[in-house]
Amino acid sequence: MSTATFEIRDMSCGACVGRVERAVARIPGVERAAANLAARTLRVDYAAPADLPALTRALAQAGYPPAQAVAVLAVEGMHCASCVARIEAALAGLPGVVSACVNLAAGTAHVTHVAGAVDEGTLTDAVARAGYAARPVPAGDAGAALAAETRAAGRRAALAGALALPLVVLEMGGHLIPAFHHWQHVTFGAGAVWAVQGVLAALILAGPGRSFFLRGLPGLWRGRPDMNALVALGSGAAFLYSLVATVAPALLPEASRAVYFEAAAVIVALVLVGRWLEARAKGQAGAAIRALVALAPATARRLTPAGPEEVPAAALRPGDRVLVRPGERLPADGVVEDGESHVDEAMLTGEALPRPKAPGAAVTGGTVNGAGALTVRLVRTGADTTLARIVALVEAAQGAKLPVQALVDRITARFVPAVLAVAAATVAAWLAFGPSLAHALVAGVSVLIIACPCAMGLATPVSIMVGLGRAAQLGLLVRRGEALQRLEGARVVAFDKTGTLTEGRPALTDLIAAEGVGAEAVLTLAAAVEAASEHPLARAIAAAAGGRPLPAAAGFRALPGEGVTATVAGARVALGTARLMAREGADTAPLAAQAEGLAAAGKTVLFAAVDGRLAALLAVSDPLKPGAAEAVAALHARGLTTAMITGDGAPTARAIAAQLGIDRIAAEVLPAAKLAAVERLKAEGPVAFVGDGINDAPALAAADVGLAIGTGTDVAIESADVVLVSGDPRGVVQAVDLSRAVMRNIRQNLVWAFAYNVALIPVAAGLLYPAAGLLLSPMLAAAAMAASSVLVVGNALRLRRFGRGGQA
């Protein structure tokens, strides 16, 4: 009998409890199901044929999916796409694991599992059974594991190089200086020289190179060979052949009595050097995340009744007051209580100009204070700060797999077995038709070494790591890595208007009273009604009242897409569109001409009615953001169609679209209908929708890519695939350019990785030998294989220059 405890966050009443329990109780094998509404948990006792996947599916089908958690593991010993596939299969096979995504470039595994069903020990044990070491890592600490791996790789490469150097001198020195070769054989004898070479090679293979055998051979025996198996087979074959030639030469034909100890040793040394260079380059790929983490200061000056005291930043709690001196970084998120200054928020928004801060202004941890001292009351600390959330967000996105990676995974899953088959066929062919056994060995080992799929496995994840890190530095937060690929394919970019293309701070510009009605009286009634609303237009009208005393409004009601109604001083007041006026029985004809003129000027027009009679016409203008027109023009220059979806009337929408040059307009769209408007635009191609991330959530979800536009710390990161922190619509253009740059970089890497193997495997097999007498040395094959991975990572690192005067 097994027991599982699920966290069911959607349970809200006793009826939910009954439905949850019945959903799993009907599964054969379930003995008992008990839901706890207070704790929002479900405890299930079950036996076969019931299992965790079946329980999870039943709960999801009933509308109560179990809560999920994500565990991040640092994995050691991964070097190619085959390693990735093996670890993912080991993790995905665990009961309760929903998905497993391994990032070769970051050296991490992100495991999504049913909360409470799997612990970190079970996950690390599964990785260990697959032949790799793993440990849990907290968010923001993944780079530490990679740094440790880089140092270890450097030590192994240095030791292998130190042992291989005298071996190479002994074997290759005689080719350069014949007298040296003659002196060795006369003084020591060929057998003794070979024996010394054998000892040095054995030390390399048993010391820094043993990981190839410890990880590669078990995988080969289990029928899942990887790069380690290829290196182990190649170097091991060269070593064993040379060992036979040294200790039992009679077993070999006289023409084939040669040693390749230097090849076995140099293969391992070069591969280890390549891994060290690769690890260093991968470390540079994660430099953006480490730079973000480093922005948080280690200490802060907390204000106490006894005066300022310096405390660790980790000890700060919400409600604490801190003193931030000129030039210092803010330790956490908060609100300015005293002082005035300018704060450099480039790390958050990508904008170079500091922003003014005065009492009441929000500030973000990690940003740099200017010339004035600030007293700040903290609101969010530790893992809840904007900076910590950004780091966690980018790390999670970096661990994602793009759809293009699925093709790479399918190919590499069959690639290593295919290489083994090609190597075996190469040896067999040269044994049958070649000059010697040694010739066949050299060709087979060269095929094994040069075909290692390291570059294939790195081609996609390293570009994602660098690209998303650079995006974070530019104020572009990509919540999901796959959004990069989808954004590149977008053909239509649709914008919400208020707060996206406009400042979101409208002001009342016109008030035209109906005949016989006092303008001041109407404004007082309208402001009284709108004081109860949080809509930007409502705030503009309320602000226009100038702080005068307002009567209380009763029975306030908001009608989405139409307006608001309330009772003020015994009169029913309605404020909104012509549709609302019609429902109230108010005739808008007397002011219709003025309304059309104001709308044509790009202003939002509202009618006011009192007790069913038209009282006034109000016009509110929301100024366009400075970069809006530039953003639309830049999108057109990139071949994209633009659209605007707004609840404003058609005349206002047409006027705004004309000012910006927008191609398509969907006006008078209710919030619930924005989703349908996005679906209609999809007929022209994949759609990216840009909105505020909260009110536009349905449209953001319906679009192929949702981009939430926000300002300062008010970033709606849960609403979209990409968050534009600065609030500048030009960030949309930057996001499109970045997606194209990353995808172009990935394609370059994939073309290089695949073309490299396709071109050099035949050369390594000896295809050019009959015509040109050219046979690739295993040492050169190892150097070429290592260089391929380093070139792929180096190409991805060019993305760090994105946005600095040119495209990467």
Side-chain angles (χ1 to χ4, degrees):
M1 182 68 64
S2 300
T3 300
T5 301
F6 300 99
E7 182 181 350
I8 312 294
R9 295 174 181 168
D10 292 336
M11 285 195 300
S12 58
C13 64
C16 297
V17 170
R19 283 193 287 268
V20 166
E21 291 177 343
R22 289 192 296 272
V24 295
R26 65 172 64 101
I27 298 176
V30 173
E31 296 291 331
R32 180 174 176 268
N36 185 319
L37 179 60
R40 294 190 177 183
T41 59
L42 171 69
R43 180 185 173 91
V44 184
D45 297 329
Y46 65 96
D51 55 19
L52 277 173
L55 298 174
T56 302
R57 286 194 299 271
L59 289 168
Q61 290 168 359
Y64 299 91
Q68 295 182 353
V70 178
V72 182
L73 306 177
V75 184
E76 299 177 4
M78 295 190 298
H79 298 290
C80 67
S82 298
C83 303
V84 170
R86 183 170 302 109
I87 295 169
E88 286 181 342
L91 291 169
L94 293 174
V97 170
V98 178
S99 65
C101 184
V102 175
N103 188 314
L104 177 61
T108 58
H110 287 71
V111 186
T112 303
H113 59 89
V114 176
V118 183
D119 59 26
E120 291 176 335
T122 303
L123 299 175
T124 55
D125 289 345
V127 175
R129 287 194 297 273
Y132 304 85
R135 66 174 180 83
V137 294
D141 191 42
L146 191 57
E149 183 180 344
T150 302
R151 291 191 295 270
R155 290 192 295 268
R156 289 192 294 268
L159 178 58
L163 292 171
L165 182 60
L167 195 158
V168 172
V169 170
L170 287 174
E171 176 60 28
M172 307 303 293
H175 294 285
L176 298 176
I177 306 174
F180 178 67
H181 177 77
H182 178 72
W183 174 79
Q184 288 184 74
H185 283 257
V186 170
T187 305
F188 304 105
V193 174
W194 287 2
V196 172
Q197 293 181 21
V199 170
L200 291 172
L203 289 174
I204 292 175
L205 268 60
R210 69 180 180 274
S211 61
F212 296 116
F213 298 89
L214 294 177
R215 293 186 176 125
L217 296 182
L220 185 63
W221 294 330
R222 289 193 294 264
R224 297 193 298 270
D226 61 0
M227 172 198 169
N228 292 301
L230 297 182
V231 176
L233 286 175
S235 58
F239 178 82
L240 292 175
Y241 182 91
S242 304
L243 189 63
V244 171
T246 301
V247 301
L251 296 178
L252 299 174
E254 187 173 351
S256 299
R257 292 173 189 171
V259 295
Y260 296 95
F261 288 123
E262 87 289 350
V266 173
I267 285 170
V268 170
L270 285 174
V271 173
L272 289 175
V273 169
R275 287 187 173 180
W276 172 60
L277 294 173
E278 178 186 309
R280 285 189 62 194
K282 288 193 293 185
Q284 293 175 355
I289 292 298
R290 291 194 298 278
L292 287 174
V293 173
L295 291 175
T299 61
R301 289 182 184 83
R302 182 167 56 192
L303 297 177
T304 68
E309 64 173 1
E310 189 163 308
V311 298
L316 296 174
R317 296 292 180 267
D320 287 348
R321 297 169 68 245
V322 296
L323 174 65
V324 185
R325 293 175 179 173
E328 293 183 339
R329 290 190 180 275
L330 281 91
D333 298 354
V335 177
V336 176
E337 281 195 345
D338 185 41
E340 294 185 1
S341 183
H342 282 73
V343 174
D344 182 357
E345 298 182 339
M347 52 72 60
L348 180 71
T349 66
E351 294 181 347
L353 293 177
R355 292 186 176 181
K357 300 294 180 180
V363 290
T364 307
T367 56
V368 181
N369 186 26
L374 296 176
T375 299
V376 178
R377 181 173 294 279
L378 301 183
V379 177
R380 289 182 292 272
T381 61
D384 294 329
T385 64
T386 300
L387 180 59
R389 291 163 64 202
I390 288 173
V391 170
L393 174 69
V394 177
E395 281 192 340
Q398 286 180 335
K401 281 194 175 183
L402 269 62
V404 70
Q405 184 68 27
L407 172 63
V408 180
D409 291 344
R410 289 196 298 271
I411 293 174
T412 52
R414 298 170 176 82
F415 186 78
V416 174
V419 169
L420 291 174
V422 170
T426 297
V427 173
W430 284 115
L431 284 176
F433 305 107
S436 67
L437 174 61
H439 188 102
L441 173 69
V442 168
V445 169
S446 295
V447 169
L448 289 172
I449 298 303
I450 206 164
C452 290
C454 306
M456 293 183 194
L458 289 168
T460 298
V462 74
S463 295
I464 297 173
M465 279 189 68
V466 181
L468 294 184
R470 180 59 184 149
Q473 293 175 330
L474 296 172
L476 306 174
L477 303 185
V478 182
R479 286 191 66 225
R480 302 176 182 89
E482 60 269 21
L484 283 174
Q485 185 169 346
R486 294 201 305 268
L487 184 56
E488 187 216 20
R491 295 294 172 264
V492 180
V493 178
F495 292 90
D496 173 50
K497 181 182 77 69
T498 303
T500 302
L501 294 172
T502 64
E503 293 286 358
R505 295 188 294 272
L508 182 67
T509 58
D510 300 88
L511 194 157
I512 304 173
E515 187 175 351
V517 178
E520 289 298 315
V522 173
L523 180 57
T524 298
L525 292 174
V529 174
E530 296 289 22
S533 174
E534 290 298 320
H535 194 280
L537 298 181
R539 290 197 293 268
I541 294 172
R548 71 184 70 174
L550 299 175
F556 176 85
R557 184 184 178 196
L559 304 171
E562 294 189 359
V564 294
T565 61
T567 300
V568 181
R572 178 177 173 81
V573 180
L575 194 69
T577 64
R579 288 196 305 272
L580 179 59
M581 296 299 105
R583 289 177 53 177
E584 294 290 316
D587 183 12
T588 59
L591 298 177
Q594 293 94 320
E596 290 179 6
L598 292 170
K603 299 180 180 181
T604 300
V605 175
L606 300 173
F607 291 96
V610 179
D611 288 333
R613 296 182 59 186
L614 183 67
L617 173 67
L618 297 88
V620 176
S621 178
D622 187 4
L624 293 173
K625 288 187 175 180
E630 182 182 339
V632 172
L635 292 172
H636 287 158
R638 286 153 178 78
L640 298 172
T641 300
T642 56
M644 184 173 69
I645 303 175
T646 177
D648 285 354
T652 302
R654 282 195 295 269
I656 297 293
Q659 293 179 50
L660 296 176
I662 288 177
D663 304 310
R664 307 277 188 274
I665 305 169
E668 301 181 15
V669 178
L670 299 178
K674 284 190 176 181
L675 187 151
V678 170
E679 293 291 348
R680 287 194 297 272
L681 287 172
K682 284 186 176 181
E684 301 184 36
V687 174
F689 180 79
V690 189
D692 64 13
I694 300 173
N695 298 330
D696 300 308
L700 288 165
D704 296 281
V705 184
L707 296 96
I709 199 161
T711 55
T713 58
D714 299 324
V715 180
I717 63 174
E718 297 300 325
S719 306
D721 302 302
V722 182
V723 178
L724 313 177
V725 183
S726 70
D728 190 335
R730 286 171 291 196
V732 178
V733 182
Q734 208 166 34
V736 170
D737 287 345
L738 178 66
S739 71
R740 293 181 177 184
V742 170
M743 293 308 301
R744 182 168 59 248
N745 193 272
I746 288 173
R747 292 189 190 98
Q748 291 167 352
N749 285 346
L750 290 174
V751 167
W752 166 254
F754 284 109
Y756 159 85
N757 280 289
V758 170
L760 290 187
I761 287 178
V763 175
L767 186 66
L768 300 180
Y769 185 81
L774 177 63
L775 187 66
L776 191 64
S777 163
M779 290 187 291
L780 292 178
M785 183 272 292
S788 176
S789 297
V790 174
L791 285 172
V792 163
V793 178
N795 183 53
L797 290 177
R798 295 190 306 115
L799 289 169
R800 294 191 299 177
R801 300 197 302 269
F802 176 84
R804 295 173 180 164
Q807 298 300 317

